[in-house]
C-alpha cells in the first residue's frame, strides 16, 4: 500500500485506530471527517505526524483529492446518533458512497466500504454467512442505517460490474475499544460508563439476547488484510469476533473489572432489536488468514482504563 490513503470518518472510533495503524506502517494518510460523531481529540496525537493530514469535509458532497486507496468509514454507527437525523444518515451512506466511488473511478483508486452486520437485520440464520441476504425492516427507525448501508453495498457492486472498479466490502460486526463515544448508547460503552459512575446498569429486555464483540485492533488488522487482497476479490466479507455473550454475561464482566456495585435494571427492548448476532468468519479465516486474537476480558480491560482516563472516574 504505497499510495496516499484516504480514510473517511477518520476522526471516529474505528477510523482513528485505522489512521494510527496506517501511519505506524509508513503510509501517507488523509483523514476526512465532518466531526458529527468523531472528534479531533481522537486524532490529536497524530497531528504532528509528517505523513498525516486532516480535512473537514462532509462526504455527502463530492471530494477531489489524489489518492490510491480509500477506506470509506464515514457514517454514524450507533442508533442514538444515526437516528438523530435519519435523512442525513441515509444521505451519508448513499450519497457518500456515490461520491467516494466517483472519486475512486476518477483517480483509479482501490476502495473499501465499511458495511455492517446490520445488513442482515434480525436474522433467521445463525451465525450469519455472507451468502445470507438478511431480514431487514425497510420502514423502521433503524432502516436509515440498515437500508442506507445495503444500498451502499449495491452501489459498490454496480460500480464494480459497470465500471470495473477495484472494490472491497467488509461487513463489520459489533466492535469495541478505546475511543468509543461515551454516550453512543452502545452496550459496551453504556455498561462501562454506568459501572464507572456507580449508576444502574440498563439491560434491555431480559438480557438473554446475545452479541459478539470484536476488539478494535483485531478489526483494523482484518480491514488492512482485506484491502490488500488481489483485485477481483470483492467480498462482502464478515469481520467480527464469533465469541457470543449474553447481555447479562457482559454486564457481569464489566462489573467485575470496574469493581462496581451498580445494580442491573431491566427496560423494554427497543424496536427491531435483533435477538442474536454472530458472524460466520469462515471466509475471513481462509481468505485473509485472519481471526480475532484479543479475548473479551483483555479488550474490556483496555476499554475500561480508557474510559477511566477520559472521564476522570
Ligand atoms: N463500531 C461498530 O461496531 C461498527 C459495526 C458495523 C459497522 N461499523 C461501521 O464502521 C464505520 C465507523 O464506525 P465507528 O464505530 O467508528 O463510528 P463513529 O461514529 O465513531 O465514526 C464515524 C465517523 O464518520 C464521521 N461522519 C459521519 N457522517 C459523516 C459525513 N457525512 N461526512 C464525513 N464524515 C462523517 C463521524 O464524524 C465519525 O468520525 C461506520 O461506517 C460504521 O457504520 C461500525
Amino acid at each position: 500500500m504505497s499510495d496516499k490513503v484516504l480514510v473517511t470518518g477518520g476522526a471516529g472510533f474505528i477510523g482513528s485506530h485505522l489512521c494510527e495503524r496506517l501511519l505506524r506502517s509508513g503510509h501517507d494518510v488523509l483523514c476526512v471527517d465532518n466531526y458529527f460523531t468523531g472528534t479531533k481529540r481522537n486524532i490529536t496525537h497524530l497531528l504532528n505526524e509528517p505523513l498525516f493530514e486532516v480535512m473537514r469535509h462532509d462526504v455527502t458532497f463530492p471530494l477531489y483529492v489524489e489518492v490510491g486507496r480509500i477506506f470509506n468509514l464515514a457514517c454514524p454507527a450507533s442508533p442514538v446518533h444515526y437516528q438523530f437525523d435519519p435523512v442525513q444518515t441515509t444521505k451519508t451512506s448513499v450519497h457518500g458512497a456515490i461520491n467516494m466511488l466517483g472519486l475512486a473511478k476518477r483517480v483509479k483508486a482501490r476502495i473499501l466500504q465499511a458495511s455492517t452486520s446490520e445488513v442482515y437485520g434480525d436474522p433467521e440464520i445463525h451465525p450469519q454467512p455472507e451468502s445470507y441476504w438478511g431480514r431487514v425492516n425497510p420502514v423502521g427507525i433503524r432502516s436509515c442505517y440498515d437500508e442506507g448501508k445495503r444500498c451502499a453495498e449495491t452501489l459498490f457492486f454496480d460500480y464494480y460490474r459497470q465500471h470495473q472498479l477495484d472494490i472491497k466490502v467488509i461487513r463489520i460486526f459489533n466492535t469495541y475499544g478505546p475511543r468509543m463515544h461515551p454516550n453512543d448508547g452502545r452496550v459496551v460503552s453504556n455498561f462501562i460508563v454506568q459501572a464507572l459512575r456507580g449508576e444502574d446498569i440498563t439491560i434491555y429486555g431480559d438480557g438473554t439476547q446475545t452479541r459478539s464483540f470484536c476488539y478494535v485492533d483485531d478489526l483494523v488488522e482484518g480491514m488492512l488484510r482485506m484491502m490488500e487482497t488481489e483485485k477481483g476479490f470483492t467480498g462482502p466479507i464478515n469481520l467480527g469476533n464469533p465469541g457470543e455473550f449474553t447481555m447479562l454475561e457482559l454486564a457481569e464482566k464489566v462489573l467485575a473489572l470496574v469493581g462496581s456495585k451498580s445494580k442491573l435494571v431491566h427496560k423494554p427492548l427497543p424496536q427491531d432489536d435483533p435477538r442474536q448476532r454472530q458472524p460466520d468468519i469462515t471466509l475471513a479465516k481462509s481468505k485473509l488468514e485472519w481471526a480475532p486474537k484479543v479475548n473479551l476480558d483483555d479488550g474490556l480491560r483496555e476499554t475500561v482504563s480508557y474510559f477511566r482516563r477520559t472521564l476522570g472516574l
Side-chain angles (χ1 to χ4, degrees), residues 1 19 37 40 65 68 73 106 112 131-132 157 180 186 188 191 200 206 214 216 224 226 228 248-249 254 298 302:
M1 214 194 290
C19 289
T37 50
K40 288 180 187 166
V65 288
L73 275 67
R106 274 194 303 279
L112 179 144
S131 54
Y132 178 54
F157 278 85
M180 290 183 89
R186 282 192 270 190
V188 173
F191 284 5
D200 291 343
D206 64 5
C214 184
V216 65
L224 293 169
M226 179 60 176
E228 292 317 305
L248 292 172
E249 285 169 331
V254 169
D298 292 341
E302 290 296 320

Side-chain angles (χ1 to χ4, degrees), residues 40-71:
K40 288 180 187 166
R41 274 192 309 280
N42 286 343
I43 47 169
T44 313
H45 62 297
L46 305 176
L47 291 176
N48 287 331
E49 297 277 343
L51 293 180
F52 189 58
E53 205 179 332
V54 190
M55 185 192 277
R56 180 194 285 269
H57 176 81
D58 184 323
V59 295
T60 61
F61 296 95
L63 178 67
Y64 299 93
V65 288
E66 289 296 323
V67 291
R69 295 271 192 276
I70 303 170
F71 288 91

Side-chain angles (χ1 to χ4, degrees), residues 23-296:
L23 286 166
R24 234 192 290 142
S25 33
H27 299 297
D28 195 335
V29 178
L30 172 60
C31 164
V32 161
D33 208 295
N34 70 349
Y35 304 113
F36 173 48
T37 50
T39 147
K40 288 180 187 166
R41 274 192 309 280
N42 286 343
I43 47 169
T44 313
H45 62 297
L46 305 176
L47 291 176
N48 287 331
E49 297 277 343
L51 293 180
F52 189 58
E53 205 179 332
V54 190
M55 185 192 277
R56 180 194 285 269
H57 176 81
D58 184 323
V59 295
T60 61
F61 296 95
L63 178 67
Y64 299 93
V65 288
E66 289 296 323
V67 291
R69 295 271 192 276
I70 303 170
F71 288 91
N72 188 36
L73 275 67
C75 187
S78 71
V80 279
H81 291 137
Y82 69 64
Q83 286 164 11
F84 173 76
D85 185 348
V87 172
Q88 175 66 13
T89 300
T90 305
K91 278 188 185 168
T92 295
S93 273
V94 176
H95 294 194
I98 290 170
N99 288 327
M100 292 309 116
L101 286 160
L103 171 65
K105 181 168 171 254
R106 274 194 303 279
V107 299
K108 298 190 172 40
R110 173 172 283 197
I111 180 166
L112 179 144
Q113 167 68 356
S115 190
T116 169
S117 57
E118 301 294 335
V119 301
Y120 299 123
D122 191 1
E124 306 108 318
I125 291 182
H126 190 75
Q128 294 88 46
E130 291 83 354
S131 54
Y132 178 54
W133 289 357
R135 180 167 167 264
V136 177
N137 176 357
V139 294
I141 56 171
R142 300 172 72 109
S143 314
C144 58
Y145 183 72
D146 303 2
E147 297 288 21
K149 288 284 189 180
R150 285 169 69 94
C151 184
E153 286 198 11
T154 307
L155 284 160
F156 267 69
F157 278 85
D158 282 333
Y159 266 80
Y160 169 67
R161 283 183 288 257
Q162 201 174 329
H163 302 295
Q164 294 72 50
L165 228 67
D166 190 1
I167 65 150
K168 310 278 170 196
V169 175
I170 59 168
R171 291 183 178 153
I172 304 172
F173 284 67
N174 261 357
T175 298
Y176 72 100
R179 301 193 209 127
M180 290 183 89
H181 199 294
N183 303 320
D184 70 1
R186 282 192 270 190
V187 64
V188 173
S189 45
N190 255 8
F191 284 5
I192 293 177
V193 172
Q194 288 170 333
L196 284 171
R197 291 190 172 139
E199 296 167 356
D200 291 343
I201 305 266
T202 319
I203 308 264
Y204 293 103
D206 64 5
T208 57
Q209 70 273 34
T210 64
R211 291 290 183 278
S212 59
F213 303 100
C214 184
Y215 190 62
V216 65
D217 290 355
D218 282 333
L219 175 76
V220 167
E221 177 64 30
M223 294 174 88
L224 293 169
R225 287 185 188 215
M226 179 60 176
M227 185 56 120
E228 292 317 305
T229 52
E230 76 275 9
K231 187 169 180 189
F233 180 69
T234 56
I237 194 164
N238 289 338
L239 293 179
N241 192 324
E244 206 183 355
F245 297 89
T246 66
M247 297 304 97
L248 292 172
E249 285 169 331
L250 178 70
E252 276 157 22
K253 281 184 185 295
V254 169
L255 286 176
L257 277 170
V258 172
S260 163
K261 295 198 168 46
S262 295
K263 292 196 305 289
L264 307 186
V265 293
H266 292 264
K267 288 201 178 155
L269 271 180
Q271 190 189 327
D272 293 339
D273 198 51
R275 280 225 36 93
Q276 274 183 319
R277 192 53 81 51
Q278 187 190 26
D280 177 334
I281 58 165
T282 313
L283 183 60
K285 277 182 172 162
S286 69
K287 193 70 204 178
L288 311 181
E289 295 176 2
W290 173 89
K293 291 196 179 121
V294 181
N295 68 41
L296 186 56

